[in-house]
């Protein structure tokens, strides 16, 4: 008990000290140490004396310096959305080489088991003579969302910033939204898995931890947007194929380049998948120009490659094997 | 002995019968099946839906199919019974009670089937506390709950006259609690003119509102499928198609139940060849209308030829996928009934019942064909190597639970026939009267 | 013979002992992992107010391409003057291996004969990661902006920039490109550039950029990766954007909103009323029947 109190005191003391130091820093242009952990993380005890740019000495605890963390948004707040935002995504199909980094980073970030892919890459061919191309499919966060329409309990909802979220504490697992979604974007938590037991306070914005017997899907990572970071998939894509941004600002970024949304769509012939359904997706695609789809088959796990067996020639399937 | 006393005597005696050894065995057998179903239910509750064959593409399996099947029976039963009652159809008097019993019991057994699909059974009450009016599921919940309450009250109203007779029948050898039961639910009915008038009015009112309720409720159930954008489901014809299929399958079920009841309780004097013929003809007409609906649905879609429709149709016609099921269903639900009932040479009580049975089986297959292949054919191709994500096949848990549900229906029906006369005594008396009862104060022409 | 055997045994055992010792010690050193090669990535910004911002990121990669962010690393920032090194400030990397230092404008630094200031950022390393360092040398440069709003509604920025030469005198910046950006949620959106001649230039500001509620924009004017000046930037606020209405919109009643459309509620009430009024009428009749005496 005593130890705990001491720790608490120390945390507070250190925090105050740092607060003062960074307070002074703002005036003097001084130290920027990032966010100081406020979640009661115990100090490592290892303190460092640092020479601040203004010539003074400050003491910091090594374990206390954290990357900025998104604030915890509870279930009620999560319904409102980030004020003034209007999130959109643009996927440049000519750039996608099925590196699967978007999927991997998303899975890792959301603690998803391998059998649940929120960001899924399909191999499509629209017609006999048309090209084969890789087609990453997140949730489209439609403005006329068929899934939200049919939810009997309001567990999935659309927010002011355009994002469609799922409150897994409310979801009854009826799976109506899954049949309503024309894009197969929703997955069900069929099995007990690690993601259900992540030691983290639940927020619909992080979608972590997941719950057995409820529905999950791509959430456009609003928790990351709150600290100015793009979603996991955008961050993960090595080709810069996925752009993300705020349509109100008319700008999207792939982490590398930032471009105007209207210009990007205008100059590249942007379109939306199955526009005629009237669901008004928030994800735009740029047409697959000059795609060498074979490159996406290299270095693939055998069981992932087999997914595309209907789409590829038999020799492609065996070529890179063994 | 005139007909009237004969009816009272024979039909009252139905509730007096102690179950025979065979009947007891039957009830025990059903209880075992129900027990197995309960086991499957708890097994699924404990291990989650992973134990079912449902996966991300096919999210609704045979639970949903039997939900649709049972609600179809219920709505068909209530709809036909109400129409026959209001039209004062004389020949139909002996079968009205059976229709009403089917309606109530399948309405009790049906809805739990959709609950078996819930991933979070523990959050069931959220439907009532957080319901969203825009969701077809909520429409269904409202419709089913209303229908259930009204149907149960309705069936007790139809019992009143019979219970009064049983109460007053001192010769009946029945336990005391039974007599108390009849006395209570006879609601002090003494057969006075005023009482009869009030009772008949209440009966007519409920029968009248049950007609739109059942049609609306089953249409709303069709909405669960039709309101999605899925090819194969998103169809304007779906609601009437569902209602018609329900009435078709309900008629088939009634024929089967009549045949069994007649055999078990030896009611050949009451349930005659005429009933089988007339119900058989009804089924034939319904079969033709049903065929017309099916033709409209598939032919229109096929002629349009859009990509997804063609994919589903090719699955239905391919013998590697649903071809055999499709063929069996067409044989069972249309060829057999049309040949047996439509042509004069094969038509008799047993063959009509056989045709009804094949029709019923065929229509369950039809529900499978409507519900499953569509889910296996989403707009984006299913690019997956896990077989259970590509095509649906029910697991033992699903079969066991479904069988338990079917057993529960049979059990409820069998048990009820021991307490309530399976043929309404009062309706039979009515059929002897020269004048038909007034309908809402108007004398039907005779 | 007897003595011989004993001696041989002794020799053998000692040899064995040596072999064992050697293998064990070999094993011990093998288990002690080599510190990983680390890398210090540095970006330097000369800010408009005269302060200097150092952004540091220390990372490492092992043989099997695992990426490490070196957190809690003490980084020394020193000025290099000739052969001597003078400590200016220190910082510690955060959990993502990142740190940032801003040197206030009051702080002045000696320049060398060509007008350059040199800084060294170093990390001493520990058991897990090797030491690493990065160096930056640049001339001090300052960017100034004047807002020029014409009557004919065209809007432009008048930019001046100068640097400090070896004598400490201000010299106009020339033959350098300045880039213009506006701040967006995740990043800076490029909106154009100008070429600086004799320390001044005009930038015609695009008028179709969405801003905040009042059309407010945060604009950065940058000199990027220049040979002599490293990077420099000046950030200003303008009101030249298109105002965007960010106020919360009234909750619509749609099929997908939380609240159902009014017509739906009215329709439901009508339908349910129709059903239940009849139902209670029937119940009432039954009630009257059961109470009737005749």
């Amino acid at each position: 008990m005593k130890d705990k109190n001491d720790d608490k005191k120390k945390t507070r003391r250190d925090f105050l000290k740092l607060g003062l130091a960074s307070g002074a820093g703002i005036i003097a242009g001084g130290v920027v140490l990032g966010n100081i952990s406020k979640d009661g993380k115990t100090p490592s005890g290892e303190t460092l004396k640092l020479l601040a740019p203004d010539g003074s000495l400050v003491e910091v605890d090594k374990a206390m310096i954290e990357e900025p963390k998104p604030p915890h948004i509870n279930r009620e707040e999560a319904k409102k959305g980030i004020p003034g935002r209007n999130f959109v995504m643009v996927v440049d199909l000519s750039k996608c080489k099925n590196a699967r980094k978007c999927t991997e980073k998303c899975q890792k970030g959301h603690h998803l088991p391998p059998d649940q892919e929120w960001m899924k890459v399909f191999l499509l061919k629209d017609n006999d003579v048309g090209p084969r191309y890789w087609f990453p499919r997140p949730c489209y966060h439609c403005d006329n969302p068929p899934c939200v329409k049919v939810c009997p309990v309001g567990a999935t909802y659309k927010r002011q910033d355009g994002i469609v979220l799922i409150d897994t504490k409310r979801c009854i697992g009826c799976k109506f939204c899954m049949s309503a979604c024309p894009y197969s974007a929703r997955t069900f938590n069929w099995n007990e898995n690690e993601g259900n037991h992540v030691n983290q306070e639940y927020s619909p914005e992080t979608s972590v931890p997941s719950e057995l017997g409820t529905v999950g899907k791509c959430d456009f990572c609003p928790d990351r947007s709150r600290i100015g970071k793009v979603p996991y998939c955008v961050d993960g894509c090595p080709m810069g194929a996925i752009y993300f941004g705020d349509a109100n600002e008319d700008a999207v970024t792939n982490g590398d380049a930032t471009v105007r949304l209207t210009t990007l769509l205008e100059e590249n012939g942007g379109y939306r998948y199955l526009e005629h359904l009237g669901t008004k997706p928030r994800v735009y695609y740029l047409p697959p120009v000059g795609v060498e789809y074979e490159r996406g088959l290299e270095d693939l796990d055998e069981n992932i490659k087999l997914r595309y067996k209907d789409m590829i020639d038999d020799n492609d399937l065996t070529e890179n094997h063994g | 002995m005139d007909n009237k006393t004969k009816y009272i005597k024979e039909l009252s005696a139905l509730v007096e019968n102690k179950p025979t050894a065979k009947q007891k065995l039957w009830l025990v057998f059903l209880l075992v099946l129900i027990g197995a179903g309960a086991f499957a239910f708890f097994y699924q509750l404990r291990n989650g839906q992973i134990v079912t064959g449902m996966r991300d593409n096919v999210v609704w399996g045979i639970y949903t199919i039997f939900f649709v099947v049972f609600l179809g029976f219920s709505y068909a039963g209530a709809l036909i019974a109400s129409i026959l009652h209001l039209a004062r159809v004389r020949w139909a008097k002996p079968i009205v009670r059976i229709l009403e019993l089917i309606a109530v019991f399948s309405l009790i057994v049906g809805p739990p089937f959709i609950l078996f699909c819930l991933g979070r059974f523990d959050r069931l009450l959220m439907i009532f506390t957080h319901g969203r009016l825009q969701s077809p599921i909520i429409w269904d919940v409202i419709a089913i709950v209303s229908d259930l309450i009204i149907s149960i009250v309705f069936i007790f109203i139809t019992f009143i006259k019979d219970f009064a007779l049983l109460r007053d029948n001192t010769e009946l050898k029945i336990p005391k609690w039974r007599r108390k039961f009849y006395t209570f639910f006879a609601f002090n009915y003494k057969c006075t003119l005023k009482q009869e008038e009030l009772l008949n009015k209440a009966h007519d009112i409920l029968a009248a509102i049950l007609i739109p309720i059942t049609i609306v409720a089953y249409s709303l159930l069709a909405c669960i499928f039709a309101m999605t954008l899925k090819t194969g489901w998103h169809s304007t014809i779906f609601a009437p198609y569902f209602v018609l299929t329900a009435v078709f399958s309900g008629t088939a079920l009634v024929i089967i139940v009549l045949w069994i009841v007649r055999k078990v309780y030896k009611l050949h004097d009451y349930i005659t060849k005429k009933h089988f013929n007339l119900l058989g003809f009804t089924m034939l007409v319904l079969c033709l209308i049903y065929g017309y609906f099916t033709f409209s649905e598939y032919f229109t879609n096929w002629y349009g030829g859009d990509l997804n429709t063609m994919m589903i149709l090719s699955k239905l016609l391919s013998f590697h996928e649903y071809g055999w099921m499709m063929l069996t269903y067409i044989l069972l639900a249309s060829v057999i009934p049309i040949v047996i009932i439509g042509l004069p040479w094969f038509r008799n009580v047993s063959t009509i019942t056989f045709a009804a049975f094949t029709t019923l089986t065929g229509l369950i297959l039809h529900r499978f064909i409507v519900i499953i292949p569509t889910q296996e054919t989403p707009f984006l191709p299913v690019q997956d190597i896990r077989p259970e994500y590509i095509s649906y096949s029910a697991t033992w848990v699903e079969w066991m639970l479904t069988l338990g549900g079917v057993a529960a229906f049979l059990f409820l029906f069998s048990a009820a026939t021991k307490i309530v006369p399976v043929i309404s005594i009062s309706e039979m008396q009515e059929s002897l009267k020269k004048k038909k009862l007034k309908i809402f104060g108007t004398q039907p022409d005779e | 013979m007897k003595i011989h055997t004993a001696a041989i045994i002794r020799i053998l055992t000692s040899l064995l002992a040596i072999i064992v010792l050697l293998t064990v010690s070999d094993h011990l050193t093998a288990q002690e992992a080599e510190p990983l090669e680390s890398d210090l990535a540095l970006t330097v910004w000369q800010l408009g107010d005269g302060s200097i911002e150092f952004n540091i990121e220390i990372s490492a990669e092992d043989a099997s391409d695992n990426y490490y962010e070196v957190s809690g690393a003490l980084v020394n920032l020193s000025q290099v003057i000739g052969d001597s090194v003078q400590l200016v400030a220190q910082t510690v990397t955060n959990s993502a291996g990142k740190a940032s230092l801003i040197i206030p404008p009051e702080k002045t630094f000696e320049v060398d004969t060509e007008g350059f200031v040199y800084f060294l950022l170093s990390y001493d390393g520990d058991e897990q990661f090797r030491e690493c360092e990065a160096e930056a040398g640049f001339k001090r440069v300052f960017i100034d902006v004047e807002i020029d709003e014409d009557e004919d509604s065209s809007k432009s920025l008048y930019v001046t920039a100068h640097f400090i030469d070896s004598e400490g005198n201000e010299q106009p910046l020339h033959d350098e490109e300045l880039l213009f950006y506006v701040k967006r949620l995740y990043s800076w959106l490029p909106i154009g550039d100008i070429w600086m001649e004799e320390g001044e230039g005009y930038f015609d500001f695009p008028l179709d950029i969405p801003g905040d509620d009042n059309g407010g924009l945060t604009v950065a004017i940058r000199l990027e990766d220049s040979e002599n000046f490293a990077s420099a930037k000046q950030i200003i606020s303008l009101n030249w954007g298109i105002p965007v209405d960010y106020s919360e919109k009234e909750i619509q009643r749609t099929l997908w909103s939380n609240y159902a459309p009014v017509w739906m509620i009215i329709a439901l009430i009508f339908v349910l009323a129709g059903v239940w009024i009849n139902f209670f009428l029937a119940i009432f009749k039954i009630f009257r029947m059961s109470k009737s005496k005749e």
Side-chain angles (χ1 to χ4, degrees):
Chain A
M1 222 25 237
K2 199 183 163 207
D3 282 338
K4 209 175 175 185
N5 278 343
D6 278 356
D7 276 356
K8 256 187 199 158
K9 244 180 244 164
K10 191 158 169 41
T11 316
R12 197 173 305 127
R13 197 170 343 116
D14 284 356
F15 173 64
L16 282 175
K17 210 182 286 165
L18 277 168
L20 280 175
S22 38
I26 290 161
I27 304 160
V31 240
V32 184
L33 286 169
N35 210 19
I36 310 303
S37 108
K38 287 167 204 154
D39 51 8
K41 191 174 174 181
T42 40
S44 67
E46 201 180 337
T47 53
L48 286 171
K49 277 208 167 65
L50 295 181
L51 176 67
D54 59 354
S56 66
L57 279 178
V58 291
E59 200 178 359
V60 293
D61 189 291
K62 271 178 125 179
M64 307 277 293
I65 307 158
E66 294 253 342
E67 259 281 270
K69 259 195 180 167
H72 178 257
I73 303 297
N74 67 29
R75 291 168 61 210
E76 212 41 55
E77 289 168 72
K79 285 189 171 176
K80 292 189 193 106
I82 305 173
R85 296 299 169 190
N86 186 3
F87 293 106
V88 286
M89 186 184 272
V90 182
V91 182
D92 188 345
L93 296 176
S94 57
K95 286 184 187 163
C96 180
K97 302 277 186 295
N98 192 30
R100 293 187 54 78
K101 297 292 175 218
C102 54
T103 312
E104 281 164 22
K105 192 136 193 193
C106 169
Q107 307 271 104
K108 197 165 167 247
H110 295 107
H111 300 268
L112 293 173
D115 64 337
Q116 282 181 46
E117 288 181 2
W118 287 355
M119 182 64 155
K120 199 162 189 163
V121 187
F122 291 80
L123 179 58
L124 298 186
K125 184 172 161 70
D126 294 341
N127 50 62
D128 288 346
V129 286
R132 271 171 271 204
Y133 58 92
W134 298 101
F135 185 82
R137 193 258 12 238
C139 167
Y140 291 162
H141 296 268
C142 307
D143 279 350
N144 184 18
C147 51
V148 177
K149 281 183 190 173
V150 300
C151 181
V153 292
T156 185
Y157 47 80
K158 187 160 185 75
R159 326 196 296 174
Q160 297 267 340
D161 56 6
I163 294 181
V164 174
L165 283 189
I166 301 172
D167 182 349
T168 55
K169 299 260 179 228
R170 170 76 60 83
C171 176
I172 59 170
C174 70
K175 297 170 278 183
F176 200 174
C177 54
M178 297 179 74
S179 6
C181 176
Y183 314 107
S184 321
R186 288 171 171 250
T187 61
F188 194 73
N189 213 327
W190 298 101
N191 214 346
E192 198 64 74
N193 62 63
E194 244 177 88
N196 299 345
H197 302 285
V198 180
N199 185 20
Q200 186 179 320
E201 198 174 347
Y202 172 72
S203 166
E205 289 207 346
T206 58
S207 307
V208 176
S210 50
E211 284 222 26
L212 183 69
T214 62
V215 177
K217 68 163 187 71
C218 153
D219 56 13
F220 262 15
C221 302
D223 55 320
R224 287 173 62 87
S225 285
R226 284 194 193 264
I227 52 169
K229 285 183 172 177
V230 287
Y232 290 117
C233 51
V234 182
D235 210 23
C237 181
M239 309 303 301
I242 312 175
Y243 294 82
F244 194 79
D246 178 357
N248 283 344
E249 289 184 343
D250 193 23
V252 285
T253 178
N254 60 1
D256 196 27
T258 303
V259 286
R260 294 191 70 170
L261 173 69
T262 44
T263 319
L264 185 69
L265 296 178
E266 199 175 303
E267 288 178 353
N268 297 283
Y271 70 97
R272 299 190 289 194
Y273 183 61
L274 299 182
E275 178 78 67
H276 71 276
L277 290 181
T279 54
K280 301 180 188 158
R282 277 181 174 261
V283 175
Y284 295 83
Y285 286 97
L286 305 182
V289 180
V291 179
E292 294 166 32
Y293 88 95
E294 295 91 346
R295 275 190 58 189
L297 291 169
E298 290 164 21
D299 308 321
L300 271 191
D301 277 356
E302 195 58 22
N303 57 354
I304 289 177
K305 202 157 145 189
L306 280 172
R307 281 183 190 179
Y308 308 116
K309 65 176 188 304
D310 293 345
M311 295 299 297
I312 53 186
D313 313 325
D314 288 345
N315 55 337
D316 274 335
L317 199 62
T318 44
E319 200 177 325
N320 300 303
H321 176 48
Chain B
M1 186 163 71
D2 69 340
N3 267 339
K4 191 177 170 182
T5 38
K6 174 185 145 101
Y7 288 164
I8 294 176
K9 198 159 179 256
E10 285 184 6
L11 295 175
S12 302
L14 284 176
V15 298
E16 200 183 24
N17 281 342
K18 285 246 155 61
T20 61
K22 246 190 203 166
Q23 288 170 357
K24 272 183 187 159
L25 198 69
W26 166 245
L27 291 180
V28 169
F29 170 67
L30 290 178
L31 279 177
V32 169
L33 283 184
I34 293 170
F39 169 75
F41 175 69
F42 283 109
Y43 184 81
Q44 183 186 314
L45 208 58
R46 202 185 156 80
N47 295 289
Q49 301 225 328
I50 191 78
V51 302
T52 68
M54 297 183 268
R55 287 299 180 271
D56 285 354
N57 291 309
V58 182
V59 297
W60 295 334
I62 55 169
Y63 295 152
T64 312
I65 292 167
F66 276 83
F67 171 64
V68 172
V69 167
F70 272 111
L71 288 192
F73 292 155
S74 165
Y75 295 138
L79 183 64
I80 301 169
S82 301
I83 291 172
L84 292 178
H85 171 80
L86 283 182
R88 306 282 190 254
V89 179
R90 264 215 172 113
W91 65 267
K93 295 290 179 195
I95 65 171
V96 173
R97 172 67 44 83
I98 288 170
L99 281 165
E100 282 157 358
L101 287 174
I102 289 175
V104 170
F105 292 136
S106 49
L107 195 55
I108 290 169
V109 172
F113 271 100
I114 201 72
L115 305 183
F116 301 153
C117 291
L118 288 191
R120 296 302 298 242
F121 200 72
D122 51 319
R123 295 181 184 164
L124 180 59
L125 285 179
M126 294 232 186
I127 289 177
F128 300 100
T129 54
H130 295 88
R132 275 177 80 251
L133 201 54
Q134 300 99 312
S135 170
I137 285 188
I138 297 298
W139 306 345
D140 255 23
V141 168
I142 293 172
I144 291 173
V145 169
S146 305
D147 189 32
L148 189 65
I149 295 171
I150 293 170
S151 293
I152 289 174
V153 170
F154 176 68
I155 202 162
F156 274 100
I157 286 178
T158 66
F159 289 158
I160 287 176
K161 284 179 182 172
D162 280 15
F163 284 176
L165 278 169
L166 293 171
R167 175 196 62 198
D168 301 334
N169 189 338
T170 46
E171 287 165 25
L172 275 186
K173 293 183 212 57
I174 48 169
K176 238 184 182 172
W177 68 270
R178 280 273 203 90
R179 203 170 286 279
K180 272 187 184 158
F181 174 81
Y182 295 137
T183 313
F184 180 80
F185 282 106
F187 294 115
N188 201 24
Y189 181 70
K190 299 259 168 43
C191 236
T192 67
L193 267 177
K194 194 182 172 204
Q195 275 188 321
E196 192 177 7
E197 198 193 324
L198 282 167
L199 182 59
N200 287 341
K201 269 191 185 153
H203 194 158
D204 283 359
I205 290 171
L206 286 188
I209 55 168
L210 268 176
I211 293 173
I213 285 178
T214 53
I215 292 175
V216 169
Y218 208 61
S219 302
L220 293 180
L221 187 126
C223 286
I224 288 193
F225 304 98
M227 294 299 174
T228 66
L229 292 170
K230 276 198 180 331
T231 317
W233 286 0
H234 189 53
S235 160
T236 51
I237 209 176
F238 245 45
Y241 192 21
F242 262 56
V243 172
L244 190 92
T245 314
V247 177
F248 185 22
S249 66
T251 314
L253 181 72
V254 169
I255 294 177
I256 298 166
V257 173
L258 277 183
W259 188 83
I260 296 169
V261 166
R262 174 170 111 133
K263 200 173 168 63
V264 172
Y265 295 114
K266 301 181 181 60
L267 296 170
H268 296 75
D269 287 354
Y270 299 87
I271 304 166
T272 60
K273 196 172 176 212
K274 185 183 173 194
H275 293 109
F276 285 92
N277 277 337
L278 287 172
L279 284 170
F281 289 142
T282 312
M283 203 172 84
L284 184 67
V285 171
L286 289 168
C287 178
L288 294 173
I289 305 176
Y290 167 80
Y292 164 69
F293 269 78
T294 311
F295 170 79
S296 295
E297 170 75 0
Y298 287 103
F299 187 64
T300 312
N301 280 332
W302 171 79
Y303 198 95
D306 84 272
L307 197 66
N308 269 61
T309 309
M310 295 317 274
M311 273 165 70
I312 293 174
L313 286 181
S314 72
K315 280 184 185 180
L316 294 185
L317 298 177
S318 152
F319 284 108
H320 298 289
E321 306 229 20
Y322 292 99
W324 288 113
M325 191 182 272
M326 195 71 182
L327 204 65
T328 320
Y329 138 67
I330 291 170
L331 192 73
L332 294 180
S334 44
V335 177
I336 292 180
I338 288 173
V339 169
I340 288 183
I341 304 167
L343 305 177
W345 308 296
F346 312 108
R347 200 188 304 137
N348 64 45
V349 172
S350 305
T351 54
I352 289 174
T353 311
F354 173 73
F357 184 75
T358 61
T359 300
L360 197 63
T361 320
L363 288 180
I364 292 174
L365 288 181
H366 166 242
R367 263 64 168 251
F368 195 96
I369 284 165
V370 166
I371 292 171
I372 306 298
T374 284
Q375 295 184 76
E376 287 173 357
T377 321
F379 287 108
L380 274 166
V382 180
Q383 293 182 340
D384 214 310
I385 54 164
R386 298 163 291 181
E388 69 272 28
Y389 279 72
I390 300 168
S391 59
Y392 170 78
S393 67
T395 61
W396 65 267
V397 179
E398 284 170 280
W399 284 121
M400 210 181 210
L401 188 43
T402 303
L403 216 59
V406 175
F409 171 75
L410 296 174
F411 182 85
L412 286 172
F413 193 91
S414 309
T417 56
K418 291 281 156 204
I419 298 171
V420 179
V422 76
I423 290 178
S424 170
I425 307 168
S426 55
E427 293 283 351
M428 289 311 291
Q429 287 178 318
E430 211 60 64
S431 68
L432 295 173
K433 284 184 184 160
K434 280 246 168 61
K435 270 192 166 179
K436 285 186 181 175
L437 275 179
K438 285 181 180 173
I439 309 171
F440 297 118
T442 317
Q443 187 65 52
D445 295 324
E446 183 78 340
Chain C
M1 266 318 274
K2 220 179 180 185
I3 306 162
H4 276 265
T5 12
I8 288 168
I9 288 168
R10 200 171 292 171
I11 289 166
L12 278 176
T13 42
S14 49
L15 265 177
L16 201 75
I18 289 168
I19 292 166
V20 166
L21 260 176
L22 275 176
T23 44
V24 167
S25 63
D26 213 49
H27 204 69
L28 280 176
T29 44
Q31 278 207 325
E32 215 168 277
E34 286 269 311
L36 291 174
E37 206 72 54
S38 65
D39 178 59
L40 196 153
L42 172 69
T43 49
V44 184
W45 286 105
Q46 301 197 51
L47 302 182
D49 64 348
S51 51
I52 310 170
E53 183 185 317
F54 294 88
N55 291 312
I56 303 133
E57 197 174 342
I58 307 181
S59 59
E61 229 168 74
D62 66 11
S64 44
D65 282 349
N66 289 317
Y67 185 81
Y68 297 91
E69 290 157 341
V70 182
S71 62
L74 177 69
V75 181
N76 292 314
L77 167 70
S78 326
Q79 193 193 355
V80 187
I81 310 159
D83 292 336
S84 66
V85 171
Q86 197 185 345
L87 185 67
V88 178
Q90 293 172 307
T91 187
V92 176
T93 56
N94 67 13
S95 56
K98 288 179 187 162
S100 178
L101 272 169
I102 297 171
I103 307 301
E106 302 87 66
K107 202 111 177 173
T108 51
F109 299 99
E110 252 181 76
V111 297
D112 71 0
T113 49
E114 284 170 12
F116 278 84
V117 203
Y118 286 97
F119 291 99
L120 176 74
L121 284 111
S122 59
Y123 162 56
D124 289 342
D126 57 14
E127 311 88 51
Q128 214 189 336
F129 302 104
R130 287 245 171 87
E131 76 283 352
C132 57
E133 56 180 41
E135 211 186 32
F138 46 83
K139 295 180 190 173
R140 295 307 311 275
V141 68
F142 300 89
I143 301 170
D144 267 316
V145 187
E146 271 175 40
I147 294 161
D148 217 9
E149 212 162 336
D150 275 3
E151 289 141 11
D152 61 350
S153 83
S154 81
K155 288 170 176 159
S156 62
L157 295 172
Y158 173 58
V159 186
T160 58
H162 64 269
F163 66 94
I164 312 293
D165 68 4
S166 55
E167 317 277 280
N169 298 325
E170 293 187 3
Q171 298 286 345
L173 186 75
H174 55 86
D175 284 345
E176 290 282 353
E177 192 185 29
L178 288 188
L179 297 131
F180 291 76
Y181 295 87
V182 288
K183 191 170 170 37
R184 306 281 75 157
L185 176 59
Y186 303 102
S187 52
W188 295 83
L189 172 73
I191 50 170
D193 55 82
I194 55 169
W195 197 257
M196 293 298 281
E197 298 290 353
E198 294 311 317
E200 59 172 21
Y202 278 95
F203 177 65
D204 290 325
F205 199 87
L207 298 175
D208 57 349
I209 311 279
D212 63 13
D213 309 24
N214 305 316
L217 293 171
T218 306
V219 178
I221 299 106
R222 291 191 199 158
L223 174 66
E224 283 177 5
D225 301 323
S226 141
E227 207 173 303
N228 291 322
F229 308 104
S231 296
K233 66 182 168 190
Q234 172 68 276
I235 292 171
I236 55 166
S237 294
L238 289 176
N239 255 337
W240 293 353
I242 301 163
V244 174
D245 181 17
Y246 286 125
S247 59
E248 284 199 9
K249 282 143 210 105
E250 226 175 284
I251 304 163
Q252 298 164 276
R253 284 173 170 274
T254 66
L255 284 179
W256 48 264
S257 60
N258 200 25
Y259 299 99
V262 177
W263 66 262
M264 214 173 224
I265 298 169
I266 293 172
L268 180 82
I269 290 171
F270 265 100
V271 171
L272 286 185
V275 169
W276 291 99
I277 285 171
N278 279 301
F279 175 76
F280 286 112
L281 192 68
I283 295 282
F284 177 65
K285 290 201 190 297
I286 297 296
F287 180 77
R288 262 177 61 196
M289 178 214 80
S290 69
K291 290 280 171 269
S292 98
K293 288 169 205 156
E294 209 176 301

